[in-house]
Amino acid sequence: MKKISNEKELFELFCDKDNCFGQYQEPFLELGHNEVWAINGSKGVVVKAELVSGKYHKRKFTKNIEFGTPCNTIVTLKAIKDALAKLPMVEEEEIEDVDCDECDGSGEVECEYVDKGGAIHDVTADCPICFGTGYVDGAPKKTGKMIADFSTPIKLGEAYFMGYRLDILAQAMELLGLETLTMTHHGGFGVGRAKACELQADGVRFLLAPMLVDDVPNMIEIEITK
């Protein structure tokens, strides 16, 4: 594969800036395999370092990700899009921010602190309910617009994946100009933990975490070829 020209857009699809774990917030260079990783715990993209131009924080894994059952099947972008087009439609909901009742929207609360000597101090601190923002999520409201239900499971290989993860995969393939991927491992479950699905092209690997389901009614399945 030639050098990637839109790596920033690619990595933004997989990183989660709001995650409390630093390794999920931005891409990093994994020193053990000289690859740039962008992950958020449920999906990720891994790119050989020579295919990107940016400079990234360096990390080294202490243990490898556990993959599902080995396989060697072909998945096309068309097949993924065809499956996504079959997702059921639901009415869109919007959640607007409302003032936090606990702090009346100020983001701060007052409390008393007793020091080791027994003295009492009045303290102003960030509200523990809204974390100092002054607002919380309001009740969901219907918009009247019908949208695809991306939380619906879709079967790929021997496991199911939330539709939104496969939509991200399709977006990433389009960014890279990829029409096909080789699935080298299909998702599965070990003892007490899920095993990742791995799909790859030359120099790029995609990782998807499967859902904890065995069967789904009205199944949507992505066509694969061997």
Side-chain angles (χ1 to χ4, degrees), residues 2-15:
K2 63 181 181 180
K3 205 172 186 71
I4 296 171
S5 61
N6 49 9
E7 63 193 82
K8 182 176 183 293
E9 292 87 347
L10 175 67
F11 293 147
E12 285 179 347
L13 287 174
F14 295 89
C15 288

Side-chain angles (χ1 to χ4, degrees), residues 14-89:
F14 295 89
C15 288
D16 180 6
K17 294 186 179 299
D18 295 326
N19 199 291
C20 60
F21 296 103
Q23 68 267 33
Y24 296 155
Q25 295 176 357
E26 58 186 20
F28 60 89
L29 176 63
E30 201 285 304
L31 296 175
H33 300 87
N34 198 34
E35 297 172 317
V36 177
W37 286 64
I39 54 176
N40 74 355
S42 63
K43 59 185 183 298
V45 61
V46 183
V47 182
K48 287 184 177 179
E50 61 265 28
L51 297 181
V52 297
S53 303
K55 302 296 182 182
Y56 301 98
H57 294 295
K58 297 176 181 178
R59 298 179 185 271
K60 188 171 183 179
F61 287 142
T62 56
K63 59 181 179 180
N64 293 325
I65 288 178
E66 190 173 351
F67 291 109
T69 304
C71 61
N72 187 29
T73 56
I74 302 299
V75 182
T76 67
L77 176 60
K78 181 180 182 303
I80 296 172
K81 285 188 167 184
D82 286 347
L84 291 170
K86 297 176 183 177
L87 289 171
M89 304 297 286

Side-chain angles (χ1 to χ4, degrees), residues 97-150:
D97 294 332
V98 297
D99 285 348
C100 175
D101 288 338
E102 192 70 27
C103 63
D104 293 326
S106 69
E108 296 181 340
V109 294
E110 295 181 356
C111 54
E112 291 184 345
Y113 170 74
V114 181
D115 64 26
K116 293 181 179 179
I120 299 175
H121 306 269
D122 292 329
V123 177
T124 299
D126 285 345
C127 174
I129 304 302
C130 67
F131 304 103
T133 63
Y135 57 84
V136 294
D137 289 343
K141 295 182 179 179
K142 303 285 187 181
T143 67
K145 179 182 177 182
M146 301 301 291
I147 58 173
D149 183 3
F150 282 102

Side-chain angles (χ1 to χ4, degrees), residues 182-217:
T182 300
M183 184 163 61
T184 55
H185 294 83
H186 65 65
F189 297 97
V191 179
R193 62 177 296 177
K195 296 181 180 180
C197 169
E198 181 184 52
L199 304 102
Q200 55 180 259
D202 186 21
V204 179
R205 297 189 288 145
F206 295 101
L207 312 177
L208 298 176
M211 297 178 67
L212 297 172
V213 294
D214 294 321
D215 196 14
V216 175

